[in-house]
Amino acid sequence: MPSALITGITGQDGLYLAELLLAKGYDVHGLIRGQNNPRRDLVEGLLPDVRLHNGDLTDLSSLIRAMRDSDPDEVYNLGAVSFVAYSWENAPLTTDVTGKGVLNMLEAVRLHSADDLGRIRFYQASSSEMFGKVQEVPQRETTLLWPRSPYGVSKVFGHYMTINYRESYGMHASSGILFNHESPRRGPEFVTRKISQAVARIHLGAQKDIVLGNLDAERDWGFAGDYVEAMWLMLQQEQADDYVISTGETHSIREFLTLAFARVGIDDWEPYVRQDERFMRPAEVDQLIGDAAKAKAALGWEPRVSFPELVAMMVDADVEAQKAGW
Ligand code: NAP
Ligand code: F7E
């Protein structure tokens, strides 16, 4: 039975990836941080077969211990401070977790597999946020990186460290440059879920309006369930490599609002939306659109869920959750 260790198991992608690997017959281990982590119950309830190990990406000794106790064939490094807006408020912490945490995880893997450095396959959760002030449209694996946030800068560090460990030590280390991917499990701080939750509440009369920042930014949004399959496929290749994972379509926050409100029968959303400086960023990433041709050719990967299907899925799930009183 193959085995895998997932950092960031309590996050959106960690949950989908753990489900996918369990369905494939993996022995799945997850790294969980902190004293009495409030999301431990969620993971244990949803995925009782996953074995949890205490650890923190900023604490190398805990990662070495987790590697020893899980002895995995594959490591998926999904843990991060992942909220871009928060990364300006806590840039040093973001750097420690999202940047240096990758180096710590690579070191833990290297030390654990010193006898055969290609033995453990490593996945790094790189991000389209690394493209920032985009230097090419659409963005591909070779596009110059120009990050615009402490989060983006930290991801660039992790990305190149992953490539460096592959080139220096022959480690099977791959990076997935994933564009935005969403789901009903998306954290409520991210714009798509913030909108789907608010739309559900407005529909049910529990909320009056929603306050947002820049409505003109454009993102290449896909479904998280599709994207975790790409992570797994990358680690099944003989050679480690880097891949853009995206839909190849871009949509504005306004378009997301239009589809989300229409889903509950509201055609004119303007009266329900206010804008506030509070949600504007010191430096914005205006438009992202990815070219996943390499992943399609090499991995046979393609997104399945369309943008309208994604919006409908998220709004419907939040309407159900609100009705159930969650
Ligand atoms: P998420 O829901 O925010 O999950 C982040 C995970 O990181 C959580 O499990 C969190 O655990 C964990 N974490 C935070 N600090 C940690 C630390 N010090 N040590 C260990 N774990 C820590 O993120 P996601 O959307 O699933 O994304 C997964 C990964 O892909 C992240 O690295 C993200 O940056 C990257 N990514 C995401 C997207 C996207 O659109 N979703 C796109 C590109 C790349 P707690 O529960 O303890 O906080
Ligand atoms: O913002 C605009 C905001 O926070 C998207 C992370 O998973 O994807 C995610 O990062 C856009 C931005 O995601 C609000 O200014 C307007 O232009 O949902 P977001 P993100 O910053 O793109 C990348 C690929 C990652 O790697 C990250 O980990 O929406 N926006 N008004 C707003 N955003 C938020 N959060 N809240 C608003 O009120």
Side-chain angles (χ1 to χ4, degrees):
M1 186 196 273
S3 60
L5 173 66
I6 302 173
T7 74
I9 187 95
T10 61
Q12 169 188 260
D13 292 5
L15 293 173
Y16 280 111
L17 179 64
E19 282 175 347
L20 178 80
L21 297 181
L22 287 169
K24 289 185 183 295
Y26 277 62
D27 179 18
V28 179
H29 300 254
L31 188 83
I32 189 152
R33 72 174 170 134
Q35 185 180 334
N36 195 19
N37 188 316
R39 291 177 66 82
R40 177 183 280 267
D41 285 351
L42 171 79
V43 180
E44 286 177 342
L46 205 61
L47 306 163
D49 294 332
V50 169
R51 282 188 272 174
L52 295 175
H53 304 266
N54 291 313
D56 193 302
L57 285 166
T58 60
D59 174 4
L60 176 59
S61 63
S62 74
L63 303 179
I64 293 172
R65 203 169 51 238
M67 286 299 296
R68 185 197 63 201
D69 294 345
S70 57
D71 191 24
D73 301 308
E74 298 173 6
V75 173
Y76 295 86
N77 187 38
L78 310 186
V81 172
S82 77
F83 187 32
V84 173
Y86 178 81
S87 78
W88 274 282
E89 290 168 35
N90 287 284
L93 175 70
T94 306
T95 306
D96 284 348
V97 179
T98 306
K100 193 165 168 246
V102 184
L103 174 58
N104 286 341
M105 202 61 235
L106 284 163
E107 269 297 278
V109 172
R110 186 175 75 89
L111 293 171
H112 186 72
S113 54
D115 52 325
D116 174 7
L117 283 171
R119 173 165 72 85
I120 300 175
R121 298 187 170 194
F122 179 85
Y123 173 85
Q124 168 55 20
S126 288
S127 165
S128 55
E129 190 67 16
M130 301 190 304
F131 295 120
K133 189 174 170 183
V134 299
Q135 300 297 299
E136 188 180 18
V137 180
Q139 295 84 53
R140 44 179 70 94
E141 293 78 6
T142 50
T143 302
L144 181 70
L145 304 178
W146 196 304
R148 296 269 279 172
S149 61
Y151 170 81
V153 173
S154 303
K155 281 289 180 189
V156 171
F157 174 84
H159 182 69
Y160 280 119
M161 215 29 113
T162 302
I163 293 171
N164 185 256
Y165 268 55
R166 180 167 79 219
E167 294 179 352
S168 303
Y169 303 116
M171 279 173 55
H172 194 291
S174 296
S175 265
I177 307 173
L178 271 53
F179 282 62
N180 297 54
H181 45 281
E182 320 291 314
S183 74
R185 289 177 178 162
R186 187 59 143 151
E189 64 274 36
F190 300 97
V191 76
T192 55
R193 185 77 198 290
K194 187 173 168 182
I195 294 171
S196 66
Q197 266 190 343
V199 166
R201 289 174 59 79
I202 289 167
H203 172 59
L204 297 170
Q207 187 171 326
K208 239 172 54 248
D209 55 15
I210 173 171
V211 187
L212 296 169
N214 176 14
L215 305 185
D216 297 313
E218 294 178 342
R219 290 290 183 275
D220 181 330
W221 278 301
F223 171 53
D226 289 346
Y227 284 41
V228 298
E229 285 190 27
M231 299 176 187
W232 176 77
L233 282 168
M234 284 178 218
L235 297 205
Q236 310 317 305
Q237 306 308 304
E238 199 160 324
Q239 299 296 327
D241 208 339
D242 309 315
Y243 300 91
V244 161
I245 300 297
S246 64
T247 69
E249 279 183 29
T250 192
H251 299 278
S252 65
I253 317 296
R254 286 179 197 281
E255 287 174 78
F256 195 101
L257 283 164
T258 301
L259 290 184
F261 274 98
R263 186 74 185 165
V264 297
I266 299 173
D267 291 331
D268 178 13
W269 51 261
E270 304 245 351
Y272 299 97
V273 176
R274 288 188 290 126
Q275 279 181 281
D276 193 306
E277 276 296 318
R278 226 164 9 118
F279 297 109
M280 305 286 185
R281 297 181 178 180
E284 179 62 283
V285 172
D286 294 320
Q287 190 200 54
L288 290 173
I289 177 164
D291 175 1
K294 179 176 170 183
K296 185 176 178 188
L299 309 177
W301 180 86
E302 275 188 287
R304 282 194 279 259
V305 175
S306 71
F307 178 64
E309 287 168 345
L310 175 66
V311 180
M313 180 201 300
M314 292 181 71
V315 172
D316 292 355
D318 274 321
V319 169
E320 286 314 306
Q322 289 296 325
K323 282 184 182 163
W326 295 343

